[in-house]
Amino acid sequence: LRKCGAPAVEELRLYADRICTVTAEGKRYPLGFSFSREELGVLRELAICTAEEYDEISRFLCRTYPKLKRVIITLDCDGAYVYENGVGYYSEKPNCTVVSTVGAGDSFSATFLACILQGKDVRVSLNRASKVSQFVVTQMGAIPDYPADLIQE
């Protein structure tokens, strides 16, 4: 987005429209727009959204892109934030020693999406995704061997 300048606003609009639903077994699921705290800086830099608070940013994005049902912001060592149906939720803060951040965002997104598609509540999905991502950052490499208790949850 940063490199694109003004056309980035339209690209974001198209992107938001494209990812708001996913088909699985013939069903339509509301998805969302997910980005990191660092990427949020790009939205501010391009003047797409200048709000500071996560709920303000989320409300702005949902108003601007009406098909958007959920906003997810990963917050590094502060966990993550999800906004859905007018309510914001924070995950539990991670409590670990970071070895490598490779795979942290992907593991978060994959776990969150898997939980949502299984019909789990947004708060359960958020905390589960944070827990898996927290484990990933304590390992070297993007695809660690997961302990059995983490897989079974």
Side-chain angles (χ1 to χ4, degrees):
L1 285 175
R2 184 179 289 122
K3 293 177 184 176
C4 297
V9 175
E10 184 58 29
E11 183 64 26
L12 179 62
R13 180 174 291 113
L14 293 173
Y15 182 67
D17 286 343
R18 218 173 32 242
I19 66 166
C20 69
T21 59
V22 66
T23 303
E25 300 171 359
K27 297 180 183 178
R28 295 175 65 88
Y29 293 96
L31 196 52
F33 187 47
S34 176
F35 52 96
S36 68
R37 180 172 23 208
E38 181 181 3
E39 292 165 328
L40 180 57
V42 176
L43 294 178
R44 289 185 183 123
E45 186 178 308
L46 293 173
I48 293 171
C49 179
T50 57
E52 293 295 323
E53 299 297 321
Y54 301 128
D55 60 333
E56 271 184 89
I57 295 160
S58 300
R59 280 194 306 272
F60 168 81
L61 290 171
C62 289
R63 273 193 319 270
T64 305
Y65 310 105
K67 291 183 182 179
L68 192 61
K69 303 298 179 203
R70 182 180 296 124
V71 175
I72 304 163
I73 306 170
T74 55
L75 304 172
D76 310 314
C77 63
D78 292 323
Y81 173 84
V82 174
Y83 179 88
E84 179 181 75
N85 297 324
V87 181
Y89 306 95
Y90 284 92
S91 71
E92 298 169 4
K93 279 190 173 189
N95 183 18
C96 62
T97 301
V98 175
V99 173
S100 170
T101 59
V102 173
D106 291 338
S107 65
F108 178 91
S109 296
T111 303
F112 185 86
L113 180 58
C115 289
I116 290 295
L117 291 175
Q118 290 170 9
K120 291 184 174 28
D121 175 77
V122 69
R123 289 169 296 210
V124 170
S125 301
L126 173 62
N127 284 315
R128 175 90 174 107
S130 293
K131 187 173 184 179
V132 170
S133 183
Q134 178 179 325
F135 171 77
V136 169
V137 300
T138 66
Q139 308 298 304
M140 188 55 72
I143 308 173
D145 290 326
Y146 293 95
D149 63 324
L150 190 61
I151 293 171
Q152 291 176 356
E153 280 186 35

